[in-house]
C-alpha cells in the first residue's frame, strides 16, 4: 500500500519578502495549510486521488487569495473567463472547460465533462450549458469579482493599456507605494494558476488545474491550465502534474506531458524529469513558473524557476508542509 499524498500550488512568481507583511504571509500560509489538510482528509478516509484533487482545487477556487473562481482576475473588458481541467491517471480520462463566467467551481464542471460526457473539452456558452445540465451551481458573474482585482485591472490599464499582466501580478502594482502590499509578488512576474496532484493508497494518481487567466488579457485568450498535456496531466505509469507559469510557453513545451514522457521513454525519476522541464527546457523559450508532481510510489516534487511559488504538500498521517519562498 502506498502512503497517500497530495500537493497543491497557488501560483509562482517573483517574490518580494521585504514587501510582504507578516500578517499577509501568515494568511497565505494558513490558506495553503488548510487546503492541504482537506486533501489529506479525503485520502485518509479512503478517498481516491481524483476526489482529493477535486476537493483541493474547489477550495482554492473559493479562496479570494488565489486567481481561480472567487477572486479571479479581469479581462481587458472587465469580465471574467475561467478555465479548468482534470485528469485521472488510472484511466487517462480527462475533462476541461474554458472561458466560462458563471460556473461557481470550474473544476467541478471539468470533472463532469470527464465523467458524464463523450467529449473532453467544452468552451464558452457550451461549457456553461453543460454545467447547468449537470446541476452545478451557476452564479452571477459578479460573484468572481473582488475590489482588489478590479483595482488591479484599472491600475494596469492606466500604466500600460496594452499590457496583459500575468495572473494576479497586478496586485503588486496596486500596492506600489504602500507599506503592506496585497500580494508579495512583483508586478508582471506572478503566474496565478492553482492546482493539485495526488496519489491514493491504491497507487492511482490524478491532477487538476484551474485559473482565472491573466489581468487585462484579450477576451477569448486561453492559456495552459485547461489544456491536457500542457497545464495538467496524469498517468499511473508515470506521474500526475499541474503547472503554473507563462501559459503560452507551457503550451508550446507541452510541459505537463513532457515530465511524463521523460519518465516513460528515458527512465528518468520524477524529480529529474520535472527539474529538466522547469530548469532546462522551459527557460530556452523564456518560460517562467513551476509545477507540482507526484508518482505512483508517493514521491513528490515541486520545482519552480522563479523566486517563489505558493505551494504545499501532505502525506496521510503527517503534518502538512507549506511554503512561499525558496
Amino acid at each position: 500500500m502506498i502512503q497517500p499524498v497530495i500537493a497543491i500550488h497557488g501560483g509562482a512568481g517573483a517574490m518580494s519578502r521585504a514587501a510582504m507583511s507578516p500578517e499577509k504571509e501568515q494568511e497565505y500560509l494558513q490558506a495553503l495549510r488548510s487546503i492541504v489538510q482537506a486533501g489529506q482528509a479525503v485520502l485518509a478516509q479512503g478517498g481516491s486521488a481524483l476526489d482529493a484533487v477535486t476537493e483541493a482545487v474547489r477550495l482554492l477556487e473559493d479562496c479570494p487569495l488565489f486567481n481561480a473562481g472567487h477572486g479571479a482576475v479581469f479581462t481587458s473588458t472587465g469580465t471574467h473567463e475561467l478555465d479548468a481541467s482534470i485528469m485521472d491517471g488510472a484511466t487517462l480520462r480527462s475533462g476541461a472547460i474554458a472561458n466560462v463566467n458563471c460556473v461557481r467551481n470550474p473544476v467541478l464542471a471539468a470533472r463532469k465533462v470527464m465523467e458524464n460526457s463523450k467529449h473532453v473539452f467544452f468552451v464558452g456558452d457550451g461549457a456553461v450549458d453543460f454545467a447547468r445540465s449537470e446541476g452545478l451551481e451557476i452564479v452571477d458573474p459578479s460573484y468572481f469579482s473582488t475590489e482588489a482585482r478590479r483595482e488591479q485591472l484599472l491600475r494596469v490599464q492606466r500604466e500600460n493599456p496594452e499590457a496583459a499582466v500575468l495572473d494576479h501580478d497586478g496586485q503588486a502594482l496596486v500596492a506600489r507605494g504602500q507599506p503592506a502590499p496585497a500580494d508579495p509578488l512583483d508586478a508582471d512576474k506572478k503566474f496565478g494558476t492553482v492546482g493539485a496532484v495526488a496519489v491514493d493508497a491504491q497507487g492511482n494518481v490524478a491532477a487538476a488545474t484551474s485559473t482565472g487567466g491573466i489581468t487585462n488579457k484579450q477576451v477569448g485568450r486561453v492559456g495552459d491550465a485547461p489544456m491536457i498535456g500542457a497545464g495538467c496531466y496524469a498517468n499511473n505509469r508515470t506521474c500526475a502534474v499541474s503547472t503554473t507559469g507563462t501559459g503560452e510557453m507551457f503550451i508550446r513545451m507541452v510541459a505537463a506531458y513532457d515530465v511524463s514522457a521523460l519518465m516513460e521513454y528515458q527512465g528518468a525519476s520524477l524529480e529529474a524529469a520535472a527539474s529538466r522541464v522547469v530548469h532546462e527546457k522551459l527557460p530556452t523559450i523564456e518560460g517562467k513558473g513551476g509545477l507540482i508532481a507526484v508518482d505512483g510510489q508517493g514521491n513528490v516534487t515541486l520545482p519552480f524557476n522563479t523566486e517563489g511559488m505558493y505551494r504545499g504538500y501532505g502525506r496521510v498521517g503527517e503534518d502538512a508542509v507549506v511554503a512561499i519562498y525558496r
Side-chain angles (χ1 to χ4, degrees), residues 46-194:
S48 67
L50 197 61
D51 289 339
V53 299
T54 301
E55 178 64 4
V57 172
R58 183 188 70 81
L59 292 170
L60 285 161
E61 289 175 343
D62 284 349
C63 180
L65 292 175
F66 304 107
N67 173 27
H70 179 56
V73 299
F74 288 88
T75 70
S76 59
T77 61
T79 59
H80 299 288
E81 292 183 340
L82 311 177
D83 311 326
S85 60
I86 193 166
M87 189 164 182
D88 179 6
T91 62
L92 301 187
R93 293 185 305 162
S94 57
I97 63 165
N99 287 355
V100 300
N101 66 356
C102 60
V103 179
R104 173 171 173 159
N105 290 109
V107 71
L108 299 184
R111 182 158 177 178
K112 290 291 188 181
V113 172
M114 180 186 73
E115 294 180 332
N116 298 337
S117 166
K118 62 182 179 181
H119 304 302
V120 169
F121 203 160
F122 283 89
V123 301
D125 291 343
V128 172
D129 290 344
F130 178 81
R132 184 178 285 112
S133 74
E134 290 293 320
L136 295 180
E137 185 174 357
I138 304 299
V139 296
D140 187 90
S142 63
Y143 163 78
F144 303 108
S145 305
T146 63
E147 284 307 308
R149 296 287 192 235
R150 189 179 302 280
E151 179 54 32
Q152 174 182 329
L153 172 68
L154 296 175
R155 182 64 61 87
V156 169
Q157 290 179 335
R158 285 197 297 269
E159 295 204 359
N160 183 356
E162 300 303 315
V165 176
L166 288 161
D167 301 324
H168 55 164
D169 286 4
Q171 290 191 11
L173 281 175
V174 174
R176 279 181 183 167
Q178 298 177 2
D183 193 287
L185 307 182
D186 293 338
D188 302 316
K189 299 176 183 176
K190 169 65 174 67
F191 319 114
T193 305
V194 307

